[in-house]
Amino acid sequence: MKNLAAKITSHHADPNGAIVYCLEATQHRNPRPKITKLRYSQLLAFHQELEILVARLKMEITLPDFPTKKLVGSTNKSEESISDRKKQLNQVLIA
């Protein structure tokens, strides 16, 4: 049984136009969720640090691939792109 569940519940643009994702984390023993707001770059940095930690501790864990940045254009420009990114991030969180 998992002790922690996390999911991206919503998103919004900050004053600079960057997309901020609302991450909701719930512990099994405390159903009251904790909510934090993170940009894609912060989520990516966390994933990269987790990869380093897993390697350093020689853990036999395969982390899911993190959604890549778009090479052309910006995810922030269309609601469809933002929703797709949100779905991809949720897939990483539940893996």
Side-chain angles (χ1 to χ4, degrees):
M1 181 183 295
K2 290 184 177 182
N3 291 329
L4 180 68
K7 64 182 174 181
I8 307 276
T9 57
S10 62
H11 62 273
H12 65 275
D14 72 6
N16 296 321
I19 300 303
V20 177
Y21 298 95
C22 297
L23 185 135
E24 183 179 292
T26 308
Q27 288 182 314
H28 175 67
R29 294 184 186 183
N30 180 7
R32 223 166 103 194
K34 305 283 188 219
I35 299 172
T36 189
K37 297 176 182 178
L38 300 164
R39 293 177 58 179
Y40 169 86
S41 59
Q42 292 171 300
L43 291 163
L44 175 60
F46 176 74
H47 189 268
Q48 290 169 334
E49 287 184 37
L50 198 54
E51 288 177 322
I52 291 168
L53 182 62
V54 165
R56 188 175 296 150
L57 295 175
K58 298 179 181 168
M59 299 172 77
E60 293 184 18
I61 297 173
T62 302
L63 295 175
D65 292 333
F66 199 80
T68 58
K69 287 187 174 189
K70 288 182 82 172
L71 297 177
V72 178
S74 173
T75 300
N76 303 2
K77 301 297 182 202
S78 81
E79 188 62 34
E80 183 179 350
S81 293
I82 296 167
S83 292
D84 287 346
R85 167 76 55 81
K86 188 172 103 175
K87 287 176 191 173
Q88 293 168 353
L89 291 170
N90 273 323
Q91 289 300 317
V92 171
L93 292 172
I94 62 171

